[in-house]
Amino acid sequence: MPHRNRVTPFGDLIDTEARGLLFGNRGVLHDDRGRIVRPFQGKRWIACRLEFKGRRRPLLRPGRFTELFFLDEATALAAGHRPCAECRREDFERFRAAWGATHPGAPLLADDVDRVLHDERVGPGRSKRTHPARIGDLPDGTMIGEGNEAFLVPGKALLRWTPFGYEPGRVATRRETVPTLTPPSIVEVLGAGYAPVIHPTAGEVDGANGAVPSPPEPT
């Protein structure tokens, strides 16, 4: 049986047999029996490599951090995770450089970044905080929510997220205002040139022009 440790773009934890491209954590979320009992612990939410220096660890050990898995980095960023400063040092430095460019004068230590992100990703009652934005203002790699579904923004297409990859969504109009799942500071980082790891199914769907057209924009 799969563990309930796969992360959706909404930040929720689900059980699925789908495999992901990234690993990460946000503290100890399980009890001594391996049951998830809290959505997070602390403000350090990170996304890591699946393999690093040959390290191997049993899952869901009592008192140790809960091992989480993400379809790709766009999913992790939407949920509010940032690159790990140890196993993904080069990615973290690229992320931090883009953060510095979009947050002039702000502290650049990981803990400072985590505090900002925590305020942007967690709402009242530990709910997922969303942020309204126009489609035309969102850079590639951003994720939005529509009802219970999440969509990746690549260009003018919206690709539907699933635990196994991306499916055809619809073509977006630039003037649409949508609830953005990706925290605003990370949206700025993406706009400044940080390129996240995207699951290959996104290219397969987008390249096949699989998005369902939406009505034309009013002039």
Side-chain angles (χ1 to χ4, degrees):
M1 294 291 293
H3 297 294
R4 185 173 152 233
N5 60 357
R6 268 56 174 182
V7 184
T8 76
F10 291 91
D12 298 329
L13 303 182
I14 62 173
D15 56 274
T16 174
E17 295 179 353
R19 306 297 295 270
L21 300 181
L22 291 177
F23 164 80
N25 82 83
R26 57 174 80 153
V28 182
L29 314 185
H30 61 281
D31 62 15
D32 289 348
R33 297 175 61 184
R35 299 173 302 185
I36 301 297
V37 295
R38 60 180 67 89
F40 61 85
Q41 182 187 56
K43 299 179 180 180
R44 178 162 293 181
W45 297 22
I46 57 176
C48 305
R49 296 173 54 179
L50 289 177
E51 298 182 6
F52 182 63
K53 295 184 176 180
R55 298 177 184 175
R56 296 186 180 277
R57 52 183 292 133
L59 299 181
L60 304 177
R61 289 179 294 173
R64 309 300 289 270
F65 74 79
T66 303
E67 298 83 1
L68 304 177
F69 297 89
F70 310 90
L71 172 69
D72 59 8
E73 191 172 10
T75 303
L77 294 175
H81 291 245
R82 60 158 174 84
C84 175
E86 181 186 8
C87 68
R88 298 180 60 208
R89 188 69 191 183
E90 291 184 3
D91 292 332
F92 176 74
E93 292 298 345
R94 289 193 301 112
F95 184 92
R96 184 160 63 172
W99 185 281
T102 55
H103 297 73
L108 295 179
L109 294 178
D111 286 347
D112 299 310
V113 171
D114 292 337
R115 279 191 288 271
V116 173
L117 290 181
H118 199 69
D119 290 340
E120 294 182 358
R121 67 195 169 209
V122 178
R126 294 188 167 188
S127 62
K128 170 65 174 176
R129 189 183 296 277
T130 62
H131 306 267
R134 293 200 321 167
I135 287 286
D137 297 330
L138 298 176
D140 289 3
T142 305
M143 299 199 75
I144 69 166
E146 292 186 346
N148 295 322
E149 295 186 314
F151 295 83
L152 175 70
V153 178
K156 291 184 64 179
L158 296 181
L159 305 183
R160 181 179 291 106
W161 181 93
T162 80
F164 294 88
Y166 295 98
E167 297 179 346
R170 64 175 177 83
V171 174
T173 59
R174 293 181 57 83
R175 297 180 184 179
E176 287 182 70
T177 297
V178 293
T180 304
L181 301 177
T182 310
S185 289
I186 296 182
V187 172
E188 294 174 350
V189 165
L190 294 173
Y194 181 82
V197 176
I198 304 291
H199 196 269
T201 53
E204 295 167 5
V205 175
D206 195 32
N209 296 316
V212 177
S214 60
E217 252 182 301
T219 57

